[in-house]
Amino acid sequence: MLTVQVVLFDGFDLLDAIAPYEVFCAAAMYAENALSVEFVTAEGPRSVTSGINGLKIEASGRLNPERTGIILVPGASGDVEGDGPNSPPAILSRALNTELVEMIEQALGQNDIIVATVCGGSLLLAMGGLLEGRPAVTHHLGMDVLGATGAIPVPARVVDSGNLVTGGGVTSGLDVALYLVERELGPRIAHAVEQLFEYERRGTVWREEGRAPGSHKAETDEETNATNNMGMIYDTPDIKLPGESDFDGDWDTTIATPVGKLEVKLSISIRNGLVQGQATQGDETVEFINPLLQDNKLTWSLRVTKPMRLNLKFEVTVRGDDMIGFARAGILPASKLTGKRVT
């Protein structure tokens, strides 16, 4: 029997979970109970509060990351404006602090389990460091954030990456579930469910198979030379930029994020336009990526792993021994950075 575990966590999106649940239940009816589906949590049976008006759903079991079948993870629903405690990023970060991500990581290591996500469910996995280098999709508002985690964003309705199947927006839960029914039980069962629901699955499922699409426009020699020249200008700066010494030194900084404050030590050295920098968070030290000093602003990218895995873009200015700026990941609200020079 094919088992489907639909994972719930506090703040989950109702439609992300309910739509696939109903598709799988209909498939079980047509497949003469060759499929079973239940709501589960990382903690076990409990009442789970959704992000839609606090509606509660009863989960009947605990997620089993070793059970053959399908595990489906929904996204979060909350305040789309601002970065308060009820925003989707804050809800997802709280889910990250449970055993859920560790369980999903264990499931992804099994050969006979498919992990599926709907909407922001892929962001939950990606922020936990599980989707690095893997094609995936999420809600269109979160595609930049998905890329910032190291995943490969694919603008498709459904993305099939083997044991990982991800869906885009909220209503893609119907498409993800119907595709999985077809993939695991066959097209006739999937077609019967479509007829029952009077809904036809949308879009072509993206898979990393077949011939890749070529460029629709060939580069001219003039365009190629222009691109190369731009790269040379960017890569070999020979003009000393103003304000280099202002940034030199070690800095104690605080980044105020929607999920709490991060204490980060920065070490910056700039000589003749060449910027070198390191960031230390706890016992982890990483190098600045593509640092650039221009117009008295220092910018760089940085890969962080706590409290979630993200590639952050920084922009800071200094005045004396004070540093101020922001860090941003995709469309997530910018996090304010403040710092003091310590050397």
Side-chain angles (χ1 to χ4, degrees):
M1 174 180 288
L2 178 66
T3 64
V4 180
Q5 301 178 82
V6 179
V7 180
L8 303 182
F9 53 86
D10 291 319
F12 75 95
D13 185 277
L14 272 174
L15 191 59
D16 286 4
I18 295 296
Y21 180 85
E22 191 164 352
V23 168
F24 289 126
C25 286
M29 177 180 66
Y30 285 118
E32 299 179 348
N33 296 319
L35 177 153
S36 67
V37 56
E38 67 172 331
F39 288 125
V40 299
T41 75
E43 301 80 19
R46 69 179 179 93
S47 179
V48 188
T49 303
S50 77
I52 306 294
N53 291 335
L55 186 66
K56 296 181 182 294
I57 299 290
E58 291 293 328
S60 59
R62 185 173 189 265
L63 173 61
N64 184 348
E66 296 182 351
R67 182 184 297 166
T68 299
I70 298 169
I71 296 173
L72 186 138
V73 183
S77 178
D79 298 334
V80 295
E81 300 291 340
D83 56 358
N86 293 321
S87 65
I91 294 170
L92 293 176
S93 71
R94 289 194 290 272
L96 280 173
N97 291 325
T98 70
E99 295 181 71
L100 179 56
V101 170
E102 183 178 343
M103 289 175 160
I104 298 298
E105 183 177 19
Q106 184 179 349
L108 284 169
Q110 308 292 324
N111 294 326
D112 50 5
I113 295 178
I114 301 169
V115 174
T117 68
V118 178
C119 200
S122 57
L123 288 178
L124 174 58
L125 273 56
M127 290 175 174
L130 304 186
L131 301 190
E132 186 170 354
R134 300 202 65 169
V137 66
T138 189
H139 191 283
H140 69 274
L141 293 177
M143 291 291 277
D144 287 344
V145 181
L146 186 64
T149 67
I152 303 172
V154 178
R157 182 73 170 172
V158 177
V159 173
D160 182 342
S161 180
N163 67 340
L164 173 70
V165 177
T166 56
V170 180
T171 56
S172 71
L174 289 167
D175 304 292
V176 169
L178 283 166
Y179 173 66
L180 289 171
V181 168
E182 179 184 356
R183 176 172 151 172
E184 299 303 306
L185 299 178
R188 288 189 289 181
I189 298 295
H191 181 255
V193 177
E194 286 187 340
Q195 285 188 312
L196 177 66
F197 287 3
E198 295 190 2
Y199 175 84
E200 295 181 354
R201 199 177 78 220
R202 289 174 52 190
T204 299
V205 175
W206 185 94
R207 294 188 296 271
E208 202 167 12
E209 299 175 0
R211 181 173 177 174
S215 174
H216 68 281
K217 181 177 181 294
E219 264 190 350
T220 65
D221 291 340
E222 183 178 346
E223 289 170 334
T224 302
N225 291 336
T227 302
N228 291 340
N229 289 338
M230 287 176 62
M232 291 175 63
I233 293 172
Y234 179 81
D235 290 336
T236 57
D238 56 3
I239 301 176
K240 184 175 181 178
L241 298 170
E244 291 183 358
S245 60
D246 294 340
F247 293 88
D248 268 343
D250 296 330
W251 301 81
D252 284 338
T253 68
T254 300
I255 307 171
T257 76
V259 295
K261 293 184 177 181
L262 305 180
E263 305 298 329
V264 181
K265 294 183 180 294
L266 303 179
S267 179
I268 301 172
S269 173
I270 307 178
R271 297 292 182 272
N272 297 322
L274 179 63
V275 183
Q276 293 181 317
Q278 292 182 328
T280 301
Q281 183 187 6
D283 57 357
E284 183 179 20
T285 299
V286 294
E287 300 287 335
F288 286 7
I289 302 172
N290 297 328
L292 178 65
L293 177 60
Q294 191 172 27
D295 298 329
N296 294 318
K297 293 180 180 179
L298 180 62
T299 62
W300 72 91
S301 296
L302 198 67
R303 183 165 182 77
V304 300
T305 59
K306 301 175 183 178
M308 59 190 70
R309 291 180 181 268
L310 287 174
N311 289 332
L312 295 176
K313 293 183 178 180
F314 288 79
E315 181 178 309
V316 302
T317 60
V318 296
R319 179 174 294 178
D321 291 331
D322 294 316
M323 176 181 288
I324 188 169
F326 64 84
R328 182 187 295 276
I331 64 165
L332 288 178
S335 298
K336 184 178 180 180
L337 179 148
T338 55
K340 287 282 187 181
R341 193 194 310 268
V342 294
T343 59

Tab-separated table of all heavy atoms in Angstrom, residues 34 115 196 233 243 286 288 298 313 323 326 334 342-343:
chain	number	residue	atom	x	y	z
A	34	ALA	N	-5.653	1.138	-2.296
A	34	ALA	CA	-4.226	0.848	-2.473
A	34	ALA	C	-3.369	2.001	-1.969
A	34	ALA	O	-2.143	1.970	-2.088
A	34	ALA	CB	-3.926	0.579	-3.945
A	115	VAL	N	9.570	13.056	-1.284
A	115	VAL	CA	9.228	14.247	-0.504
A	115	VAL	C	8.645	15.276	-1.466
A	115	VAL	O	9.277	15.634	-2.462
A	115	VAL	CB	10.461	14.822	0.223
A	115	VAL	CG1	10.107	16.142	0.906
A	115	VAL	CG2	10.996	13.827	1.250
A	196	LEU	N	-13.710	13.618	-11.371
A	196	LEU	CA	-14.504	13.815	-10.165
A	196	LEU	C	-14.450	15.265	-9.696
A	196	LEU	O	-15.473	15.855	-9.326
A	196	LEU	CB	-14.006	12.888	-9.052
A	196	LEU	CG	-14.700	13.030	-7.693
A	196	LEU	CD1	-16.161	12.601	-7.798
A	196	LEU	CD2	-13.966	12.214	-6.630
A	233	ILE	N	36.529	45.551	-16.831
A	233	ILE	CA	36.458	46.764	-16.016
A	233	ILE	C	36.107	46.410	-14.586
A	233	ILE	O	36.671	46.922	-13.626
A	233	ILE	CB	35.421	47.744	-16.610
A	233	ILE	CG1	35.914	48.251	-17.968
A	233	ILE	CG2	35.157	48.900	-15.674
A	233	ILE	CD1	34.882	49.071	-18.721
A	243	GLY	N	37.420	56.591	0.717
A	243	GLY	CA	36.864	56.060	1.940
A	243	GLY	C	37.326	54.672	2.320
A	243	GLY	O	36.700	54.022	3.139
A	286	VAL	N	33.261	32.818	7.572
A	286	VAL	CA	33.147	32.698	6.117
A	286	VAL	C	33.678	33.970	5.473
A	286	VAL	O	33.675	35.049	6.067
A	286	VAL	CB	31.688	32.445	5.675
A	286	VAL	CG1	31.208	31.092	6.153
A	286	VAL	CG2	30.757	33.541	6.176
A	288	PHE	N	33.781	37.032	2.629
A	288	PHE	CA	32.871	37.849	1.826
A	288	PHE	C	32.880	37.337	0.378
A	288	PHE	O	33.918	36.918	-0.135
A	288	PHE	CB	33.314	39.311	1.797
A	288	PHE	CG	33.064	40.060	3.090
A	288	PHE	CD1	32.621	39.422	4.232
A	288	PHE	CD2	33.278	41.427	3.144
A	288	PHE	CE1	32.402	40.123	5.413
A	288	PHE	CE2	33.065	42.143	4.311
A	288	PHE	CZ	32.634	41.489	5.451
A	298	LEU	N	29.910	49.961	0.993
A	298	LEU	CA	30.535	48.662	0.836
A	298	LEU	C	29.438	47.611	0.701
A	298	LEU	O	28.537	47.528	1.535
A	298	LEU	CB	31.418	48.333	2.038
A	298	LEU	CG	32.160	46.979	2.010
A	298	LEU	CD1	33.120	46.918	0.832
A	298	LEU	CD2	32.910	46.751	3.319
A	313	LYS	N	22.661	39.534	0.911
A	313	LYS	CA	23.370	40.643	0.269
A	313	LYS	C	23.421	41.813	1.244
A	313	LYS	O	22.389	42.244	1.760
A	313	LYS	CB	22.661	41.040	-1.025
A	313	LYS	CG	22.722	39.964	-2.097
A	313	LYS	CD	22.074	40.422	-3.394
A	313	LYS	CE	22.192	39.343	-4.467
A	313	LYS	NZ	21.569	39.757	-5.754
A	323	MET	N	28.870	51.737	12.158
A	323	MET	CA	28.477	51.142	10.891
A	323	MET	C	26.957	50.982	10.874
A	323	MET	O	26.348	50.606	11.872
A	323	MET	CB	29.149	49.777	10.694
A	323	MET	CG	28.712	49.023	9.431
A	323	MET	SD	29.530	47.398	9.267
A	323	MET	CE	31.208	47.896	8.834
A	326	PHE	N	22.138	47.299	5.831
A	326	PHE	CA	21.094	46.282	5.836
A	326	PHE	C	21.594	45.020	5.156
A	326	PHE	O	22.580	45.029	4.413
A	326	PHE	CB	19.819	46.796	5.149
A	326	PHE	CG	19.990	47.106	3.682
A	326	PHE	CD1	19.890	46.110	2.715
A	326	PHE	CD2	20.256	48.408	3.258
A	326	PHE	CE1	20.046	46.389	1.369
A	326	PHE	CE2	20.419	48.695	1.905
A	326	PHE	CZ	20.305	47.688	0.959
A	334	ALA	N	14.189	43.673	4.379
A	334	ALA	CA	15.586	43.927	4.701
A	334	ALA	C	15.775	43.945	6.215
A	334	ALA	O	14.926	44.432	6.964
A	334	ALA	CB	16.030	45.258	4.092
A	342	VAL	N	35.806	47.801	16.750
A	342	VAL	CA	36.448	47.362	17.993
A	342	VAL	C	37.959	47.479	17.905
A	342	VAL	O	38.658	47.342	18.909
A	342	VAL	CB	36.049	45.914	18.352
A	342	VAL	CG1	34.579	45.851	18.688
A	342	VAL	CG2	36.387	44.955	17.223
A	343	THR	N	38.508	47.689	16.716
A	343	THR	CA	39.955	47.924	16.577
A	343	THR	C	40.153	49.040	15.586
A	343	THR	O	39.326	49.238	14.700
A	343	THR	CB	40.705	46.686	16.079
A	343	THR	OG1	40.175	46.281	14.798
A	343	THR	CG2	40.568	45.539	17.062
